[in-house]
Every structure is written in C-alpha cells, then in structure tokens.
Amino acid sequence: MITPVLPTYARADLEFERGEGPYLITADGERYLDFGAGIAVNAFGHAHPHLVSALAEQAGKVWHTSNVYRIPGQEKLARRLVEATFADTVFFTNSGAEALECAIKMARKYHAAGGAPERYELITMEGAFHGRTLATIAAGGQKKYLEGFGPAMPGFPQVPFGDLKALKAAIGPATAGILIEPIQGEGGIRVLPPEDLRRIREMCDEAGILLVFDEVQTGMGRTGTLFAHELAGVTPDIMAIAKALGGGFPVGACLATEEAARGMTAGTHGSTFGGNPLAMAVANAVMDLVLDEKFLPHVRMLGLKLRQKLAMLADRYPRIIEDVRGEGLMLGIKCRVPNTDLVAALRTEKLLAVGAGDNVVRLLPPLTIEESHLDEAMEKLGHACAALDAALDKDAKVAGAKS
C-alpha cells in the first residue's frame, strides 16, 4: 500500500475502527483481545465511559490556552500526584520522551544551581529505552536507535544491566545522577530486584547525586502498586511518567522533590501543549479510577493469576517458552522461538501482544480486565503455542528427510 506517511514503522497489516473495553474491533467486525494496550497506554481499555465523558465535557469548554496562564486542571492533577507520591512538584508534558527530557535537564540544573555545573552525566543501564529524542536515544544507548544520527549526545555513560559493581565504579566527578527503569519494558521485562534498587538509592545518597526513575511504562498501577519503585520501598529524586497517565490521551509528567527541582526556575523549561486543559481533564479522570481503593488490589490479583497460568503454559510448551517474568500486569514471555513468531501466531488467534528485547513477548493488558479475559487469552496463547510446537516437529521431519 502506497502511503504519504513516513515509513518509520514496520506496521502490521491490521487496522481498527473502534474499541470496547479490552477489545479492538475492525471495520469488518473482527474482535481482537488487546493485551498490548497501545504499549501499556490504554490502562482502562477502550472507550471507558468515565474518560470519554471527561474529554467530551472539557472539549465543550476550552481546549488550549498555553502555559502563559494558569490551568486549573494542572493544579488539581499536580496536587493529586504530589499527595500520592514522594514528589513536591510536577511539570506536565505531552509524552514520556518529553518527561525524560525534563528529568535530564532537571538533574543537570540541580548541580549547576549548587555550583557544580561539571556534574552533567547520568549513568544508565544497557537495554534501556528512554525515548526517541536525541538525548533519550543517547541515554538508552541502543545502537539500532543511534545509528545514522551523528555522534551520540554526550553525558550518558552506560553499565551492564544489574551490574552494581560497575555502576558504583562509574560514579565520578562528572556524575549528576543515575537514570534507570525499575523494570525494563522495551529491554525485555527485565526486573531490577528490590535489594538492587535499595543499594542504588544508597549509592546516590553516598555520592550526593540524584536518583532518576523512568516509570513511563511501569507507572500508574501497571505493576500492582501505583509506581514500581514502591515494591522496593525506595523513592527517587526525580521521576518521569506518561503512557497510562492519560489512558490513551497524550500526556506525561516529570515529578520531583523540591530539592531536586531547585534549579528549575522561571524560563528554564517550557512546553506549548504540555498540560493543556484537554489532557488534564482526561488525566484527572484517570486518577479518579487509579485512586479507587479497589483498583490496585484488582491488578495484583489478576497479575498473580495470569503469571500462574503462564507458568502452566510454559510447562506444557517448553520448546516455545523459556521463562515468564515481570510484575503485576506487566509480564513477559521469554521465548525459545523467535518472539516475532509468537506475536504473529497470537495475532492469528486474535490476541494482540507486543514484542520486546531479549526475545520477549510483552503482555500488557488493560488493568481493568476480568478473569474471563484471562481465560480467553490463555486459550488463544495455548492455540498459538501448539501451532508453533507443531511447526517445530514439521521442520524437524523435513530436515530429517533431507539428511
């Protein structure tokens, strides 16, 4: 198909007309169970009535004023985020990458404001994904995203994932902080153990540097806690969030302590669209749902049940599934066959999932799914694994015949 859209995506030949809860529906009426959720964005599925109502109501009032003026929705959402987290202050953006840009600038400015402008480096871990801007691809350090865009932006030394000895050794006079995802999403649902996060917090305190968390994918209940770092009982100095914060509407935020944000004075940062009235209306509606006392226990319960079911599936198909990893409803299937094969087989079964690094398939369903949706997903996963398992036998027979 010839299209004027820039061909930067390897898109599936599939399009959807509408959505209902955890389902996406094509123009022909085919229903797909969505366990990708727009890559952990649609935390409340599709066309959630509370979010639709909030957007429609605000659309009839005012869409955009710019940050030249106060925006009541920002004040309300910032207050709710501060009350629910470690943070004292919030800056609103349109995306996760922009939230990370703010976090990077804030960490550097913190030291500059303290008389140490030479402290500008943020140490990151291999396999990270922090966005697609020039700064965030440099922070992620992945060659496939850096290639062809000139010299990588300086300031992001990288250490192997989970190597705390290398991390400690990398801290030097130019270090501003450590930037990590508590659970790497794009990197293959790789979890940093709670004891590692606690030790990293200690390293930062000992060195007088900042701990910056990228919770763009892990945040807003995805792991069964409001934010993944809560599982370890640690808090960052700065945190970037997005994705589920808008439930599908583009919005992100950079949260920080008052101390960490000391350098971000008037004129040091800005955004034309960030925190506009439409985004704030939807994000506040998301907060209504996330802060319901039944919400996080539901995610934890469903996450545990899904993990148990996946473990049983792995026992049945050891040639297809090597391991199951993750937390809450952010789970990854480490494959023995190419993960692209499993994603394609699942799509044939009308189950949508997302690939990741380390040959992993991510399962990121809406956080509002019910047990019946788990059963449906497992049936489809079983069929997909059986098909791939049978294909292995067929390939072995063909190879045997040729030999």
Side-chain angles (χ1 to χ4, degrees), residues 100-111:
L100 263 299
E101 287 278 341
C102 179
I104 292 165
K105 290 176 69 176
M106 185 181 290
R108 292 180 172 188
K109 194 72 169 174
Y110 166 82
H111 291 285

Side-chain angles (χ1 to χ4, degrees), residues 339-358:
N339 63 346
T340 50
D341 289 356
L342 182 54
V343 169
L346 292 174
R347 196 177 299 142
T348 299
E349 296 296 327
K350 295 185 171 53
L351 176 65
L352 303 176
V354 186
D358 202 27

Side-chain angles (χ1 to χ4, degrees), residues 19-22 42-56 246-247 282 285-286 288-290 295 366-369:
E20 295 175 358
N42 301 310
F44 300 94
H46 302 280
H48 191 287
H50 187 57
L51 304 190
V52 171
S53 175
L55 180 60
V282 178
V286 166
D288 293 340
L289 301 174
V290 168
F295 175 70
L367 304 181
T368 49
I369 56 168

